[in-house]
Amino acid sequence: MHIYLVGGAVRDKLLGRPVVDHDHVVVGALPEDLLALGYRPVGKDFPVFLHPKTGEEYALARTERKTGRGYRGFVFQADASVTLEQDLARRDLTINAIAEDAQGALTDPYHGVRDIEARVLRHVSPAFVEDPVRVLRVARFAARFAPLGFTVAEQTMALMRQMVDDGEVDHLVPERVWAETRKALGEPQPSAFLRVLRECGALAVLFPEVDALYGVPQRAEFHPEIDTGVHLELVLDAAARLAPGDELVGFCALAHDLGKALTPPDELPRHVGHEHLGVAPLRGLCARLKVPTEYATLAEQVCREHLNAHRAFELKPATVLKLLGSLDALRRPERLEVFLAACEADKRGRLGHADDAYPQATYLREARAAAAAVSAAGFVALGLSGPAIGKAMDAARLQSIAAVKSEHSAGPAVV
């Protein structure tokens, strides 16, 4: 029995990145061998075990054979005869198909080290086309490693186009699409996720609402980048800088401008009412991908209200209080933080505006704090009861917000 460190752990060590997960492959063993050593089985489709002390994953070396459409159409073979090279051959990218033994020696039959040095995302073998999830994974790895200069090999991109043309991507289940997308939105450069999917044609299949934004013009005085799709890419990357690793902020950024694809052609490049037009496609996307409620709800709030955030200094105190109420921000200030991060990303996600200030965020935070400080106790002490307490609290909150507003000078609106 031989045990090797594999996959992302080896890749990230070679890149000088922190290693989070340690995955291992076991060659020359049977399930009974690991059970006898105290490993705990967890795999359903193939033998995966947890180390009795570290809890790290150890999988028996295996091969796989395509038997049907989609990512579920595989038969696995895992036994003592499967070699390390055979196990590595079934992996998606060469940079993930490197193994390291206990002495630190590398097994690299598919030249993953070379591709790490060349900053290339390249498929291991033609069997890449058998699993449509790999289209999403390549795009996600692009979002992670684009800041390091990684690009997708043209041969790999050609295979991904073939997978889209052959309809393999159509068989992806919503849960897998969402899982990969969610991870991609937490990567350092999510725009690369969109660009890779769009280049191979998968964006139009999986995210038609997003794909429709490309080529839609905006007013150059507000959006020097003009193209709404390009704007979205800039917003996603701005969100990643403002809230690193925050997938919720990333999804709110992704969905904030879907309504611009629905603007009547004779109204372009203006997008009057796009914040309301975007609600329907957003709900459709969330339903199709089975997006969690918290993500869907906050994304819709950002879609509806991001223009109000931009013109916060122009809003009446009553409108600010209504905005805070719609976010449930008085009870849950973290929701306001997500909202503000997405809105600030929208402000900064414009060509030449990456470092713009966003004083609206400070104002809205202070308005929330002032409104939340109003307590019912004082009104009870005055003898009020029932609905009268609520009315008095609302009036006091409006006064508190007005006081905060008077301390701030008006800021520029963004359309």
Side-chain angles (χ1 to χ4, degrees):
M1 182 170 71
H2 299 280
I3 296 176
Y4 300 87
L5 186 68
V6 293
V10 181
R11 176 199 67 221
D12 289 343
K13 284 177 66 176
L14 293 171
L15 283 168
R17 293 166 54 91
V19 176
V20 178
D21 297 317
H22 292 78
D23 295 328
H24 304 79
V25 65
V26 183
V27 179
L30 296 172
E32 293 78 10
D33 300 322
L34 293 183
L35 292 173
L37 294 172
Y39 287 75
R40 292 177 288 120
V42 294
K44 294 181 180 179
D45 298 323
F46 42 82
V48 178
F49 300 82
L50 299 183
H51 191 281
K53 293 183 179 179
T54 67
E56 294 175 352
E57 286 194 1
Y58 288 70
L60 293 184
R62 66 184 188 270
T63 60
E64 58 189 33
R65 179 169 53 86
K66 183 76 168 176
T67 60
R69 300 282 277 184
Y71 80 98
R72 288 175 172 167
F74 290 91
V75 170
F76 298 95
Q77 174 195 354
D79 58 46
S81 69
V82 178
T83 67
L84 177 61
E85 288 74 13
Q86 287 176 316
D87 181 89
L88 295 175
R90 67 176 179 78
R91 298 173 186 268
D92 50 7
L93 297 173
T94 60
I95 65 171
N96 298 328
I98 310 168
E100 179 184 286
D101 67 16
Q103 289 72 45
L106 298 180
T107 299
D108 181 24
Y110 306 105
H111 310 294
V113 174
R114 180 191 64 193
D115 285 338
I116 285 176
E117 294 171 348
R119 299 298 196 251
V120 174
L121 301 175
R122 188 190 312 278
H123 62 285
V124 170
S125 77
F128 177 93
V129 301
E130 296 176 350
D131 186 355
V133 172
R134 289 172 172 172
V135 171
L136 288 164
R137 281 176 56 82
V138 171
R140 174 164 64 84
F141 280 122
R144 179 181 302 177
F145 294 128
L148 300 181
F150 276 82
T151 59
V152 180
E154 181 50 44
Q155 304 95 319
T156 303
M157 183 61 72
L159 289 182
M160 292 164 63
R161 293 191 190 101
Q162 176 186 330
M163 295 164 76
V164 174
D165 292 342
D166 290 346
E168 277 289 329
V169 172
D170 299 337
H171 293 272
L172 285 168
V173 298
E175 292 83 357
R176 290 305 299 268
V177 176
W178 170 246
E180 293 295 328
T181 300
R182 181 173 177 170
K183 292 175 185 176
L185 293 172
E187 299 291 2
Q189 195 170 320
S191 62
F193 179 74
L194 295 189
R195 285 195 297 274
V196 169
L197 292 181
R198 186 163 181 256
E199 186 174 348
C200 71
L203 191 66
V205 176
L206 300 174
F207 303 96
E209 304 89 347
V210 175
D211 188 68
L213 295 173
Y214 285 88
V216 176
Q218 303 165 108
R219 293 171 64 183
E221 65 267 37
F222 294 113
H223 289 278
E225 70 284 354
I226 299 178
D227 190 298
T228 305
V230 175
H231 167 59
L232 177 57
E233 292 180 6
L234 294 171
V235 173
L236 285 173
D237 290 348
R241 291 191 298 271
L242 289 166
D246 195 319
E247 300 157 356
L248 178 53
V249 172
F251 183 67
C252 290
L254 177 70
H256 83 285
D257 258 355
L258 297 182
K260 287 184 176 178
L262 301 178
T263 298
D266 60 344
E267 294 183 12
L268 295 173
R270 301 175 72 244
H271 293 278
V272 177
H274 74 273
E275 69 274 26
H276 303 297
L277 288 174
V279 172
L282 170 57
R283 288 178 176 175
L285 184 153
C286 290
R288 188 176 69 253
L289 298 186
K290 301 181 181 179
V291 173
T293 300
E294 180 74 353
Y295 282 71
T297 300
L298 273 172
E300 185 168 325
Q301 286 297 112
V302 172
C303 180
R304 286 183 184 275
E305 303 290 353
H306 64 279
L307 293 189
N308 276 335
H310 296 333
R311 54 182 173 241
F313 295 111
E314 304 169 19
L315 303 179
K316 297 178 180 179
T319 306
V320 172
L321 184 59
K322 183 179 178 181
L323 171 61
L324 296 173
S326 69
L327 291 164
D328 197 18
L330 300 187
R331 294 190 312 116
R332 301 179 61 187
E334 71 278 4
R335 289 169 63 91
L336 178 63
E337 290 305 315
V338 172
F339 175 79
L340 292 177
C343 292
E344 184 169 353
D346 182 36
K347 170 72 177 295
R348 294 189 179 193
R350 299 175 298 146
L351 195 62
H353 292 269
D355 298 318
D356 279 9
Y358 198 63
Q360 295 93 325
T362 300
Y363 167 51
L364 289 173
R365 286 191 189 99
E366 293 179 2
R368 190 218 73 84
V374 175
S375 168
F379 299 107
V380 173
L382 292 174
L384 298 181
S385 62
I389 295 177
K391 291 181 180 179
M393 289 181 68
D394 283 344
R397 285 168 173 161
L398 291 176
Q399 290 179 348
S400 297
I401 293 172
V404 171
K405 182 177 181 179
S406 69
E407 296 175 358
H408 288 265
S409 59
V414 177
V415 178

